[in-house]
Amino acid sequence: MEMDEAERGFRDSPQILHDERLKTYLSGVLCKTVGFDRCGAARIYVVKDHRFNASMAPNGLMIVNTGLLARMHSEAELSTVLGHEFGHFELRHSLNRFRALRKGTDWLAWLGMAGAATGNDMTATQNAIILGFFSYNREQEKDADFLGAAYVRSSPYPLRASAVWKRLAEEDDATREERKLRKLKRATPGATDTHPTGAQRFAYFSQLEAEIGAQNGDDGQEQFREETSRILPDIFAGLVKGNDFAGADYVIRSRGDALGWDGLLLHTRAELYRLRGNPRDLITARQFYEKAITLPGAPPESWRGIGLTAMRTGDTENGKVALKEYLAKAPTSNDSAAIKMLLEN
Ligand SMILES: [Zn+2]
């Protein structure tokens, strides 16, 4: 009961992305993954949080971060993560953990995690390890992984878990390189590790996928692309505005490589470069914006991007032309007054 009350507050939080179509879509993928007889236990909420994370509470409330959706490339990949979280739920891991915590305030802290998310500075590997807010032990994580894989294997989806862990490792490498940290040795984990590392997960899922052999199921890649492209700015907002340029660039590029580049995705990459704003970035950003407007799906803000990067690199004349085009395409935008002032100077 305490949980349900907290859930009502949670539902009204500004951190929740309210998009019924997305929720229905995610519920559908979950139902296909774990079966229509089971999935009714879950109520999905999408949280505006750039980190790779999902979790499920003992009352059936399931959280999916926008950062998780940004990093997935198909329904099949998504099904491995949703199946994992549902696995914890079925195995009562979160309930046991909740009982161990005992205090309701801890539960409220869990519900409030979305709000706390923003200031945190974590590498992708840490993100991966906290998949599920509760700190489950290594055996529980592994059990949830294998139960999740079992759901996927009896679903219409092929098992695509290893690809997810491979990319998380690559993203982490990119982040570490940028921060001049040493790359993690992805060999055998230490005896004190309480969680399976990304490397271990990559290893056992690769082995499992090899044992299964050829898989015929449909990955649901096209459907996934369509449903997430529709709300791409919401999904990528946190990553673009965050502090991990290299990691965010990796995530955007890997999506483009897998699902193709449309105007909106290329615009997103342009924004990432413009916001970092090194002189070289502004030139690169302008190139991306200019390419974006030749592709389907480019938003009016691509013209704004061309205008701003042109002006900042000294090409005032073309900058003004592009900004006027932006105002013509988006006359009621929030920044139209500021843009008009730029044009008067
Ligand atoms: Zn887990």
Side-chain angles (χ1 to χ4, degrees), residues 16-144:
I16 302 293
L17 179 66
H18 295 285
D19 187 302
E20 284 309 309
R21 179 170 159 184
L22 179 64
K23 274 174 79 167
T24 305
Y25 174 66
L26 295 176
S27 299
V29 173
L30 177 68
C31 287
K32 274 173 82 173
T33 304
V34 303
F36 287 84
D37 49 336
R38 288 193 189 87
C39 68
R43 295 177 308 289
I44 297 182
Y45 291 85
V46 179
V47 173
K48 298 174 194 169
D49 183 325
H50 68 281
R51 295 174 299 170
F52 176 90
N53 201 11
S55 55
M56 189 166 176
N59 72 342
L61 185 151
M62 187 183 238
I63 285 173
V64 174
N65 279 5
T66 51
L68 173 71
L69 299 174
R71 289 172 175 88
M72 297 288 105
H73 291 170
S74 66
E75 290 178 7
E77 289 186 1
L78 186 57
S79 77
T80 68
V81 178
L82 298 183
H84 171 99
E85 291 310 324
F86 203 86
H88 280 305
F89 172 77
E90 286 270 284
L91 295 166
R92 303 282 187 272
H93 288 167
S94 53
L95 189 58
N96 293 338
R97 179 73 185 141
F98 180 53
R99 283 185 183 136
L101 290 169
R102 279 202 301 244
K103 287 192 310 211
T105 48
D106 294 312
W107 174 254
L108 293 169
W110 181 83
L111 285 169
M113 67 184 251
T118 39
N120 289 351
D121 191 23
M122 290 185 176
T123 67
T125 295
Q126 285 171 310
N127 288 344
I129 288 167
I130 60 158
L131 180 70
F133 173 77
F134 295 112
S135 36
Y136 300 125
N137 64 36
R138 193 194 307 194
E139 284 315 304
Q140 288 176 321
E141 285 302 329
K142 208 168 170 179
D143 289 347

